[in-house]
Amino acid sequence: MASPKMERVVVKTERDGPYECYIQGDKHNKTLCVTWHDIGLNYAAFTKFLQTHDMVNIAGKMCFVHINAPGQEPDAGNLKDVHQFLSLEQLAEEIDPILSALGFADDVGIVGFGEGAGASVLLRYTIYSPRRVLGLCLLECNANPSSFLEWSQEKVAAWQLTTRGMNPTTEKFLLWHHFGSDTKGKRELVEEYHENLYKRMNAHNLSKYIQIYMNRNDVSHKVKDMKTPILLVTGTQSPHAKEVEKLFYSLPDKRNSTLLKAEDVGGSIMDENPSKLAESFLLFLQGIGLVASVPMTRLARSSSLGEGSDRSPVRNKEALAKKAASVDQP
């Protein structure tokens, strides 16, 4: 099956913008998924993932709206000096106006799919506007403020981007942020990221996005009332694994939440093991009553019938979690 067509639309809201958005798939599909990217990335991280073998059937049954944070799209020009980059909370408040501008009715339910800073935006959106969120798939999501070490690293990275442009110090920080400390065996991914970072990412604008992520506030106490189904994803080698686990254990209803901690994966499962994420994502969607017509892969089918090992880093007490856990079994 070919990848769904994409339509580029630039949205300017009353408060901010421009937001370069991409609508991928048929707008009349009943299932709408909103994506939001991490620092040092943009919508292309999701379109690349949707083009993988295991995601093609899922992508064909949904409509995806990929939102680029202001100035983070490929080959972007400098944001004006007077542009005040919004906080994560304020960016979350922009989602509804953006969807309205794209022609989606206010009563259309959405699935949120975010990574890193983008996962933090979608988490905040759900905390404050839970009515239309059917479920969340959050990769490397941190509900806590920056630690002093992280804050200092991000501060230096943002400052160097402003004063020097793209540079090795910032690149080193971003590689750690996305892939963890050990990048052995990830040479092609690192080279691809390096090329996109230096050739297509605007350093001036990226510094602003890093700064607002660096200054994020603590929302860990606010997730204790959340009832939205959530799939949290991290890797055993991810620098953010502990924070993701903290978020998982803060959620009030483990029957509605699932943690996938993928073996031998750093902080970028979409690149490092897209098959594992695709199967977990499919089972999560079907567990909340969506994309029922998409067939499971052989591994997911065999695991749901009780085959395979009992060892799994996915944690949940209910049937949905047992299904999701199957994709991480050997």
Side-chain angles (χ1 to χ4, degrees):
M1 180 185 293
S3 298
K5 63 180 181 179
M6 282 205 298
E7 175 187 2
R8 174 182 175 271
V9 183
V10 178
V11 174
K12 184 77 170 68
T13 67
E14 290 184 6
R15 175 189 274 179
D16 196 27
Y19 294 92
E20 184 174 284
C21 304
Y22 286 84
I23 302 173
Q24 184 173 5
D26 187 351
K27 290 177 67 173
H28 297 98
N29 273 336
K30 293 182 179 180
T31 304
L32 173 63
C33 182
V34 175
T35 74
W36 200 298
H37 60 88
D38 198 3
I39 56 174
L41 296 171
N42 50 49
Y43 82 102
F46 293 99
T47 57
K48 177 184 176 183
F49 173 60
L50 295 180
Q51 291 169 358
T52 60
H53 173 76
D54 294 291
M55 278 300 297
V56 170
N57 287 334
I58 302 173
K61 298 294 183 180
M62 304 175 70
C63 178
F64 289 82
V65 172
H66 307 294
I67 302 175
N68 287 299
Q72 308 305 305
E73 66 273 10
D75 305 317
N78 279 3
L79 292 170
K80 296 179 180 179
D81 290 336
V82 296
H83 181 270
Q84 182 66 43
F85 215 101
L86 300 181
S87 68
L88 295 181
E89 280 76 14
Q90 291 170 326
L91 288 174
E93 292 171 358
E94 294 286 87
I95 292 176
D96 281 340
I98 290 172
L99 293 178
S100 294
L102 295 175
F104 294 96
D106 292 342
D107 60 350
V108 173
I110 68 171
V111 174
F113 186 12
E115 181 179 22
S120 294
V121 171
L122 290 168
L123 179 66
R124 285 161 171 77
Y125 174 76
T126 306
I127 289 172
Y128 300 117
S129 305
R131 60 177 181 84
R132 71 184 302 184
V133 183
L134 305 175
L136 289 173
C137 178
L138 303 180
L139 318 181
E140 308 300 342
C141 187
N142 190 338
N144 296 300
S146 297
S147 66
F148 178 76
L149 177 60
E150 182 190 355
W151 181 88
S152 61
Q153 290 174 324
E154 290 167 341
K155 184 74 173 177
V156 170
W159 177 77
Q160 296 234 359
L161 285 169
T162 302
T163 57
R164 298 175 56 194
M166 203 61 67
N167 60 88
T169 301
T170 300
E171 179 187 12
K172 182 179 180 180
F173 162 72
L174 289 170
L175 286 173
W176 168 84
H177 179 82
H178 290 298
F179 299 108
S181 301
D182 185 6
T183 57
K184 293 179 181 178
K186 303 174 186 177
R187 188 182 69 179
E188 291 185 6
L189 292 176
V190 170
E191 290 177 351
E192 179 184 0
Y193 185 73
H194 170 88
E195 183 173 359
N196 286 331
L197 196 62
Y198 278 84
K199 292 185 177 180
R200 308 207 67 186
M201 185 66 65
N202 184 299
H204 171 79
N205 300 347
L206 176 56
S207 70
K208 294 178 177 290
Y209 194 23
I210 291 176
Q211 287 179 54
I212 64 113
Y213 186 57
M214 171 184 74
N215 292 322
R216 65 186 182 270
N217 64 342
D218 186 356
V219 295
S220 59
H221 59 290
K222 296 181 179 180
V223 305
K224 295 179 180 179
D225 297 323
M226 288 184 63
K227 298 179 180 179
T228 305
I230 299 180
L231 170 61
L232 294 175
V233 181
T234 188
T236 57
Q237 299 176 3
S238 169
H240 318 292
K242 290 183 179 179
E243 300 303 326
V244 176
E245 289 183 330
K246 286 181 184 178
L247 174 55
F248 174 72
Y249 290 118
S250 296
L251 295 171
D253 188 354
K254 300 302 184 291
R255 295 171 299 177
N256 255 359
S257 53
T258 304
L259 172 64
L260 169 63
K261 192 172 182 182
E263 293 286 351
D264 301 321
V265 168
S268 185
I269 192 171
M270 285 196 288
D271 287 318
E272 297 176 66
N273 200 330
S275 296
K276 186 170 295 185
L277 176 59
E279 292 188 10
S280 288
F281 189 45
L282 172 59
L283 291 167
F284 174 72
L285 291 173
Q286 293 183 338
I288 59 176
L290 303 175
V291 297
S293 62
V294 178
M296 290 187 291
T297 64
R298 181 199 61 79
L299 174 59
R301 286 197 303 270
S302 64
S303 297
S304 67
L305 292 173
E307 300 176 16
S309 166
D310 288 335
R311 179 180 61 84
S312 173
V314 181
R315 301 170 189 175
N316 192 302
K317 297 179 180 178
E318 300 299 319
L320 174 58
K322 292 177 182 177
K323 287 184 178 180
S326 68
V327 303
D328 207 40
Q329 296 174 351

